[in-house]
């Protein structure tokens, strides 16, 4: 079987898509026959302009398995920059596959266009199409832009692309069951729900109980993208000032809304929030281990009520309390699968402040959660699903 494996992000890049697809490919290779081949088409590390990593343009992992990394322009997480980057990726990928034949195209996509690229190539090559959908792009982007004219234009462009892409797929994996109702009209595909998972790197970490010091200022940490979707500028400044002297925030990462957060912190003279540029995964783990609380927040938009942030799977491996400003499916998932939580309504600083002040601090290992959501096991089942679909 000849497989094309499309993912915009791949290690050594820093992103949920990169971690998910790199580990999936490694597991997929364990299920291939000796005469099977895999072409991976991805990008050079580009998730954050402030984090650079070296990677080979063409890398042969083993006989018959080649990774092609396309260099794309810096985009700074802005819409125009991202469009240019995806355009470069799209046409270079078409060029790389021009003279190739494939039996199966796998495409993992959070912003629709990698999935659309997979659909176009699968159609040209008369190959089967397996989509891994990590976000519902059209719903998210139209939810973020409240202008009716802009939304009409976005829907006019995106709806046909979406219909073509999802209508072409024979199998669609959804990383969140919250997406299920959105895909009810696409009846041609088989569906699966392989979520994100916990990497072995996190499962092997020692969980040591921190010694309590009554006078200690507790650290609340967030590591990841700082974009409109996270809405950190709408919650961190409002609550941090009221927690001065008892709590401090460490925000690690970069993204399109970082500047907005910086400005609000500066205007309000907030001293207990530290902004740290993106760091490697091992460094991030060190920050997590030293922190008291692990923080997550999603902006207050209807589209985000469907999502299940990959960050929760990392956080759940630590025995520390998780502070989560989420709603919808993510909130349900947390209540069902985790303990030692502070849940609050997105952007509600008063609720967060009161919950935190009344919270009785404790450390608690989430043993069952770690057993249930091992990335290794999820990847094993997903790899079997991909191979089975390809052999149908």
């Amino acid at each position: 079987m000849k497989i094309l494996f499309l993912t915009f992000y791949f290690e050594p890049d820093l992103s949920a898509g990169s971690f998910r697809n790199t580990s999936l490919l490694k597991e997929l290779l364990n299920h291939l026959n000796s005469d099977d081949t895999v072409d991976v088409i991805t990008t050079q590390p580009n998730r954050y302009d402030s984090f650079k990593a070296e990677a080979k343009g063409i890398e042969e992992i083993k006989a018959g398995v080649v990774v092609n990394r396309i260099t794309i322009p810096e985009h700074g997480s802005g819409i125009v920059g991202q469009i240019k980057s995806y355009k470069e990726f799209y046409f270079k990928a078409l060029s790389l596959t021009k003279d190739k034949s494939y039996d199966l195209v796998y495409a993992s996509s959070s912003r629709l266009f990698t999935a659309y690229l997979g659909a176009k190539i699968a159609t040209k090559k008369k190959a089967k199409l397996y989509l891994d959908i990590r976000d519902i792009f059209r719903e998210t982007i139209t939810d973020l832009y409240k202008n009716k004219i802009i939304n009409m234009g976005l829907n006019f462009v995106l709806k046909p692309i979406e219909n073509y892409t999802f209508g072409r797929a024979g199998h669609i994996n959804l990383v969140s069951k919250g997406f299920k109702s959105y895909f009810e009209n696409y009846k041609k595909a088989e569906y699966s729900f392989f979520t994100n998972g916990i990497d072995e790197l996190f499962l092997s970490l020692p969980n040591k109980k921190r010694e309590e010091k009554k006078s200690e200022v507790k650290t609340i940490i967030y590591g990841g993208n700082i974009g409109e979707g996270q809405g950190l500028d709408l919650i961190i400044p409002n609550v941090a000032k009221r927690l001065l002297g008892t709590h401090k925030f460490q925000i690690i990462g970069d993204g399109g809304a970082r500047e907005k957060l910086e400005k609000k912190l500066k205007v309000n003279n907030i001293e207990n929030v530290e902004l740290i540029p993106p760091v490697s995964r091992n460094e991030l783990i060190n920050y997590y281990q030293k922190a008291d609380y692990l923080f997550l927040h999603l902006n207050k938009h209807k589209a985000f009520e469907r999502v299940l942030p990959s960050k929760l799977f990392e956080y759940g491996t630590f025995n520390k309390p998780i502070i989560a400003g989420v709603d919808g499916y993510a909130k349900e998932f947390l209540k069902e699968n985790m303990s030692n939580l502070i849940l609050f309504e997105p952007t509600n600083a008063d609720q967060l402040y009161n919950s935190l002040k009344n919270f009785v601090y404790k450390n608690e290992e989430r043993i069952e959660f770690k057993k249930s959501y091992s990335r290794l096991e999820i990847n094993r089942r997903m790899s079997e699903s991909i191979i089975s679909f390809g052999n149908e």
Side-chain angles (χ1 to χ4, degrees):
M1 181 162 44
K2 295 178 181 178
I3 301 172
L4 175 62
F5 192 104
L6 295 171
T7 171
F8 195 77
Y9 297 114
F10 199 76
E11 286 187 356
D13 217 342
L14 298 177
S15 77
S18 168
F19 304 142
R20 177 177 180 81
N21 285 296
T22 305
S23 62
L24 176 63
L25 177 69
K26 289 175 182 176
E27 178 60 30
L28 185 64
L29 299 186
N30 295 329
H31 298 262
L32 298 180
N33 296 321
S34 58
D35 57 344
D36 292 335
T37 63
V38 182
D39 284 346
V40 179
I41 297 183
T42 184
T43 62
Q44 286 285 354
N46 69 91
R47 185 65 181 87
Y48 301 114
D49 289 345
S50 53
F51 180 86
K52 303 296 182 185
E54 294 292 326
K56 294 178 180 178
I58 300 176
E59 181 181 6
E60 187 173 28
I61 295 177
K62 58 180 286 189
V65 182
V66 178
V67 178
N68 292 274
R69 293 185 177 90
I70 295 167
T71 301
I72 61 172
E74 291 189 0
H75 50 78
S77 297
I79 292 294
V80 175
Q82 288 187 48
I83 290 171
K84 290 180 180 177
S85 296
Y86 272 95
K87 184 179 176 183
E88 184 76 6
F89 178 60
Y90 180 87
F91 286 108
K92 286 285 178 65
L94 289 179
S95 177
L96 285 169
T97 58
K98 184 179 179 181
D99 299 321
K100 301 283 187 74
S101 63
Y102 298 103
D103 303 299
L104 171 65
V105 176
Y106 163 87
S108 182
S109 187
S110 67
R111 292 186 180 126
L112 182 60
F113 295 104
T114 303
Y116 175 69
L117 171 64
K120 292 294 284 186
I121 295 175
T123 300
K124 285 184 177 182
K125 307 298 179 182
K126 297 180 180 178
K128 295 178 179 179
L129 178 63
Y130 188 115
L131 295 180
D132 176 46
I133 301 300
R134 309 196 312 273
D135 199 2
I136 301 175
F137 179 73
R138 184 175 69 88
E139 185 178 62
T140 302
I141 197 75
T142 54
D143 200 12
L144 287 173
Y145 289 97
K146 298 300 182 185
N147 186 295
K148 288 184 179 179
I149 296 174
I150 292 176
N151 274 346
M152 283 178 63
L154 287 169
N155 276 311
F156 180 77
V157 173
L158 295 176
K159 184 63 176 172
I161 293 174
E162 191 179 73
N163 285 339
Y164 170 79
T165 302
F166 299 149
R168 174 63 180 78
H171 189 109
I172 300 176
N173 180 68
L174 305 175
V175 300
S176 169
K177 286 187 178 179
F179 296 166
K180 188 176 180 180
S181 61
Y182 189 89
F183 282 82
E184 286 176 347
N185 292 330
Y186 302 104
K187 301 185 186 300
K188 175 188 171 183
E190 299 172 350
Y191 285 88
S192 56
F193 299 92
F194 298 113
T195 65
N196 281 297
I198 308 165
D199 287 322
E200 190 60 35
L201 177 65
F202 287 87
L203 289 173
S204 61
L205 294 172
N207 251 323
K208 296 179 180 178
K209 188 174 179 179
R210 284 185 95 247
E211 291 184 13
E212 286 287 323
K213 295 179 183 177
K214 290 185 179 179
S215 61
E216 183 179 30
V217 174
K218 286 189 162 49
T219 301
I220 303 170
I221 196 165
Y222 169 77
N225 190 46
I226 307 174
E228 295 295 334
Q230 289 71 39
L232 298 184
D233 57 296
L234 301 176
I235 187 69
I236 298 292
N238 294 339
V239 77
K241 199 162 191 175
R242 298 164 70 179
L243 293 170
L244 184 65
T246 59
H247 298 77
K248 66 178 181 179
F249 285 84
Q250 287 183 323
I251 311 296
I252 303 172
D254 205 347
R258 180 185 168 112
E259 192 175 330
K260 287 169 69 174
L261 177 59
E262 285 178 316
K263 283 182 179 178
K264 281 197 176 182
L265 295 174
K266 189 174 181 179
V267 166
N268 291 283
N269 296 313
I270 295 169
E271 300 174 356
N272 57 331
V273 178
E274 181 184 6
L275 294 180
I276 302 166
V279 298
S280 70
R281 225 173 180 197
N282 287 328
E283 289 178 88
L284 185 60
I285 287 170
N286 288 333
Y287 278 104
Y288 287 163
Q289 288 175 320
K290 292 175 184 177
D292 297 285
Y293 296 92
L294 306 172
F295 183 82
L296 177 80
H297 184 259
L298 291 178
N299 211 336
K300 197 174 179 66
H301 291 286
K302 196 74 177 172
F304 296 144
E305 293 181 12
R306 298 183 188 270
V307 305
L308 184 59
S310 60
K311 186 62 59 181
L312 293 176
F313 295 91
E314 289 182 4
Y315 283 179
T317 62
F318 296 90
N319 59 9
K320 304 166 190 295
I322 294 171
I323 303 172
V326 294
D327 221 330
Y329 182 69
K331 186 177 181 179
E332 291 175 23
F333 180 87
L334 282 168
K335 285 181 175 179
E336 289 175 11
N337 292 279
M338 289 200 215
S339 55
N340 204 15
L341 300 167
I342 296 176
L343 296 173
F344 68 98
E345 183 185 350
T347 74
N348 192 331
D350 289 339
Q351 189 182 18
L352 171 54
Y353 174 77
N354 291 326
S355 297
L356 195 54
K357 296 300 283 187
N358 295 322
F359 183 73
V360 179
Y361 190 89
K362 63 179 178 179
N363 290 278
E364 184 179 288
E365 189 172 2
R366 301 175 178 93
I367 297 170
E368 287 305 313
F369 178 75
K370 291 195 283 188
K371 283 181 182 177
S372 300
Y373 290 96
S374 160
R375 175 102 75 185
L376 201 64
E377 176 59 22
I378 291 169
N379 281 344
R380 183 188 65 76
R381 289 187 283 119
M382 190 168 176
S383 294
E384 289 173 353
S385 167
I386 293 170
I387 296 298
S388 175
F389 172 69
N391 286 328
E392 285 178 359

